[in-house]
Amino acid sequence: MLPFIEKSSILTYRSPIFTLFRYLLFVTSLASCGTSIQKSNFETRKEFLKEVGLPILVSIHPRHNKEKKELQLYIKTENLTKINISKFQILFFASDEKKQFLIPEEQKTPELICSIQRSIVPNSIYKCHVGPFVYTQIWNAIHIQSISFTTEDQIRHVISEDDLDDVVIWL
């Protein structure tokens, strides 16, 4: 006789080895799905950017301490082209709830700048750290004003305002 039992008209197998095997199979499938989904989002975004001719992918991880009214930005820039990029720059502003630009305490102007002066070779990632900046009032949002860079043939490029949302991933 097979070790099946009937519970609410559903057949269930009681062997501990079978139960352990099902549990391991389930956990393994969940773990592999999670990593492949996350990887495919970045890969899908990169493929899209290459197809439409946008040369960079920028990921921004803001870290903040709202109690201290402090802001830091950790930025990764990936060159998706086949040529070197130099003089890479992102211009940011922090704003309050009324969408007014805020000036950090130790600065005279409101802009926050990420600047990478060295050559960013194709298919590589370079990091930039902005801050920490302290404000007199609590900041509510971060706005990217522009992203610009120069290619190795000394042509200056500016990512259009319409394309900013495509090339930037906020973490």
Side-chain angles (χ1 to χ4, degrees):
M1 182 159 92
L2 295 172
F4 285 103
I5 60 168
E6 188 171 331
K7 249 189 203 177
S8 307
S9 73
I10 298 174
L11 292 177
T12 308
Y13 194 77
R14 291 195 303 174
S15 167
I17 294 172
F18 184 73
T19 304
L20 178 62
F21 176 75
R22 284 191 334 192
Y23 175 76
L24 290 175
L25 185 63
F26 176 73
V27 170
T28 305
S29 67
L30 283 180
S32 65
C33 286
T35 56
S36 65
I37 290 171
Q38 191 175 36
K39 182 179 178 186
S40 68
N41 286 339
F42 272 103
E43 293 304 316
T44 302
R45 179 72 67 100
K46 284 184 200 180
E47 288 173 17
F48 168 76
L49 292 174
K50 287 178 182 180
E51 285 175 15
V52 297
L54 292 169
I56 57 170
L57 175 61
V58 178
S59 60
I60 303 172
H61 185 137
R63 292 188 185 169
H64 51 83
N65 185 335
K66 292 260 183 178
E67 293 171 6
K68 293 182 180 179
K69 302 173 188 170
E70 182 181 274
L71 171 64
Q72 293 186 65
L73 301 171
Y74 294 89
I75 302 149
K76 290 182 183 177
T77 302
E78 185 169 355
N79 180 355
L80 303 176
T81 69
K82 295 180 180 176
I83 60 173
N84 292 342
I85 291 176
S86 63
K87 298 179 186 171
F88 176 85
Q89 186 172 351
I90 304 176
L91 182 63
F92 298 94
F93 292 99
S95 66
D96 62 11
E97 292 177 350
K98 298 176 188 173
K99 297 186 180 181
Q100 299 293 314
F101 289 155
L102 302 174
I103 300 174
E105 283 183 354
E106 296 181 13
Q107 287 189 214
K108 295 180 181 178
T109 58
E111 64 271 0
L112 311 173
I113 300 171
C114 163
S115 183
I116 301 173
Q117 295 300 321
R118 60 184 160 177
S119 184
I120 304 173
V121 297
N123 299 312
S124 64
I125 299 173
Y126 286 81
K127 297 178 183 178
C128 178
H129 177 248
V130 176
F133 292 103
V134 178
Y135 295 91
T136 55
Q137 59 194 56
I138 295 176
W139 59 271
N140 186 50
I142 304 162
H143 305 277
I144 298 175
Q145 180 67 31
S146 66
I147 297 176
S148 61
F149 57 90
T150 303
T151 52
E152 64 186 10
D153 52 4
Q154 298 306 309
I155 297 175
R156 190 81 179 143
H157 300 270
V158 177
I159 301 294
S160 72
E161 195 172 324
D162 294 338
D163 293 331
L164 286 175
D165 288 337
D166 291 330
V167 301
V168 175
I169 296 175
W170 291 89
L171 303 173

